[in-house]
Amino acid sequence: MAIISWSITPPPETHAAMAQGPGQPAAEQERVVLVQLALPYKVDFGEVIKVSGNTPEFGSWDIEHAVQMHWTPGNVWVAELRLAPGTYEIKTWH
C-alpha cells in the first residue's frame, strides 16, 4: 500500500475546542488535537486494519506497535488519536 502524508494544522477558531489529556499542563494541552482516521474497506472476517507511521504515536513503522482501527457499520474502519500539529506519514496494514 502507498504511504500517505498529511499535515495537522488546526484553524485558529478551534483552539478552545482542542483535545485535552488529563493532567497535562495547559501549554501542552493546546498543542494536541483529536484526529479521527476513517477508512472504508472490506476485509475478511477476523482480519483487522492497523495504521503505522513515522512517529511513536503510530508505532514508528513497527507493525507490533501500530494503531489498530475499529470496524464500524458500512465497513468503515476508524481510529481516534490525539496528535500534535505537524506532518505525519502513515501506511495501513491488514
Side-chain angles (χ1 to χ4, degrees), residues 7-68:
S7 294
I8 297 172
T9 308
E13 65 273 8
T14 63
H15 284 276
M18 286 187 179
Q20 296 182 13
Q24 291 179 314
E28 206 171 297
Q29 290 176 355
E30 292 180 6
R31 295 185 297 182
V32 178
V33 293
L34 181 63
V35 175
Q36 184 180 63
L37 305 175
L39 176 68
Y41 195 79
K42 185 176 180 176
V43 299
D44 292 331
F45 182 78
E47 291 186 319
V48 296
I49 295 179
K50 291 185 174 187
V51 181
S52 65
N54 65 331
T55 63
E57 295 88 351
F58 289 104
S60 300
W61 297 118
D62 182 350
I63 191 67
E64 296 298 321
H65 295 99
V67 175
Q68 183 167 324

